[in-house]
Amino acid sequence: MKPYVICHMFSSLDGKIKQTIWGLKDHHKYFEEPAAKIKADAWLVGRTTMQEFCSKRKYKLTTPKTTIAKADFVAQQPAKKYCVVMDPSGKCFWDTNMVTTEHVIEVLTEKVSSAYLQHLRSKNVSYIFGGKTTIDLSLILEKLNRLFGIKRIRIDGGGHVNGSFLKAGLIDEMSLVLAPIADGTSGALSVFEVEKGYSKRMATHFTLQSVKRIYGDYLWLRYVVKR
Ligand SMILES: NC(=O)c1ccc[n+]([C@@H]2O[C@H](COP(=O)([O-])OP(=O)(O)OC[C@H]3O[C@@H](n4cnc5c(N)ncnc54)[C@H](OP(=O)(O)O)[C@@H]3O)[C@@H](O)[C@H]2O)c1
């Protein structure tokens, strides 16, 4: 079964997502507080976004004596909520298998080494394989449901992860916190980074579910995808 997918983002009026020049105090709250109100068993981010939460240490990997099979690993652990990272080459290192209250699941490809898998196992971090060299998004959603019981998942960015789920037609709902700010930086990251230039792909349409005015002049918009 495919989990229900909600993409949640915080953007400027022009759809930009990096807050470098926004000058906000407490900038995390605009994303985190509405996110906490969305019912979900897991949140998923790209490798770049996860850098904020994983270890800042540079681990020295050692190759194990026996090769570790490229097979999914479900760690024994008590948490019922999960955070998932799309990390095809195994670039995130972990001091613990938790980000606050969520158990870490790495989404990998078979490009990763046994040494990296040993690192994940030594920290009791779960991992699943999404393909040989690229990640099949439908496959990993199905595995997240079957192996971890995830029924609703929040995709929390960044732009490239959102774009890949959009392109694959796997997003069911959009939750957007819109800041009353125009960023105006040409080429800066936007909510959905799919591809350069126009292809034959058609844009995705949504139906408005709710609008809430929050933090004074901010809007929290909830949409479902039109199929
Ligand atoms: N405003 C907001 O609400 C919000 C929310 C989240 C993040 N952000 C910001 O967004 C920025 C990061 O966004 P980003 O778009 O550059 O990066 P991202 O989406 O967080 O991560 C991109 C990386 O994740 C991996 N990845 C993503 N999709 C994949 C796929 N379908 N298949 C295989 N690998 C995949 C790749 O890792 P490899 O490079 O290792 O191959 C890719 O380079 C940060 O500055 C963060 O602070 C803003």
Side-chain angles (χ1 to χ4, degrees):
M1 192 190 109
K2 172 191 154 320
Y4 187 78
V5 175
I6 306 128
C7 179
H8 174 70
M9 288 301 281
F10 173 43
S11 90
S12 61
L13 293 176
D14 48 348
K16 308 297 183 192
I17 61 169
K18 286 188 89 159
Q19 295 135 42
T20 320
I21 60 166
W22 298 7
L24 294 176
K25 284 196 192 101
D26 298 339
H27 66 99
H28 284 302
K29 80 172 181 186
Y30 302 97
F31 180 92
E32 298 293 346
E33 290 177 357
K37 296 191 175 123
I38 299 170
K39 195 172 160 275
D41 311 302
W43 50 269
L44 178 150
V45 292
R47 196 260 313 158
T48 312
T49 300
M50 193 55 105
Q51 298 296 333
E52 192 182 328
F53 306 101
C54 63
S55 178
K56 307 291 179 280
R57 273 176 63 190
K58 187 91 188 124
Y59 277 83
K60 198 168 168 357
L61 295 179
T62 49
T63 308
K65 285 194 182 78
T66 48
T67 307
I68 300 176
K70 305 279 166 74
D72 302 334
F73 172 67
V74 180
Q76 291 299 312
Q77 56 78 41
K80 295 275 178 290
K81 298 258 181 177
Y82 303 92
C83 61
V84 185
V85 56
M86 305 277 287
D87 186 14
S89 309
K91 292 178 186 163
C92 291
F93 292 94
W94 297 97
D95 301 324
T96 152
N97 64 359
M98 301 293 287
V99 173
T100 60
T101 56
E102 289 89 54
H103 172 69
V104 179
I105 305 172
E106 281 263 350
V107 178
L108 307 171
T109 66
E110 293 180 24
K111 289 189 288 194
V112 299
S113 63
S114 281
Y116 182 69
L117 295 181
Q118 178 168 264
H119 165 70
L120 295 183
R121 284 187 176 238
S122 74
K123 301 296 175 189
N124 209 28
V125 169
S126 296
Y127 54 83
I128 58 173
F129 286 89
K132 279 198 181 314
T133 56
T134 57
I135 293 173
D136 176 338
L137 298 179
S138 296
L139 176 69
I140 63 133
L141 286 179
E142 185 273 320
K143 284 187 180 186
L144 289 171
N145 174 257
R146 180 163 45 82
L147 301 175
F148 300 92
I150 294 169
K151 294 189 183 71
R152 287 171 66 89
I153 188 163
R154 221 177 60 220
I155 309 281
D156 284 355
H160 287 93
V161 156
N162 296 346
S164 60
F165 277 90
L166 184 82
K167 188 173 184 181
L170 292 168
I171 293 176
D172 298 298
E173 190 177 319
M174 185 69 207
S175 160
L176 184 69
V177 176
L178 199 59
I181 293 170
D183 182 299
T185 309
S186 299
L189 272 181
S190 69
V191 174
F192 294 107
E193 294 289 334
V194 183
E195 60 213 351
K196 283 207 168 75
Y198 291 109
S199 62
K200 287 193 176 143
R201 184 180 58 86
M202 295 302 288
T204 305
H205 292 232
F206 295 84
T207 303
L208 186 64
Q209 294 293 102
S210 65
V211 185
K212 230 184 218 172
R213 189 172 177 161
I214 55 175
Y215 310 120
D217 293 329
Y218 291 66
L219 291 180
W220 184 14
L221 308 166
R222 304 283 298 264
Y223 293 94
V224 289
V225 167
K226 271 189 190 169
R227 300 280 179 210

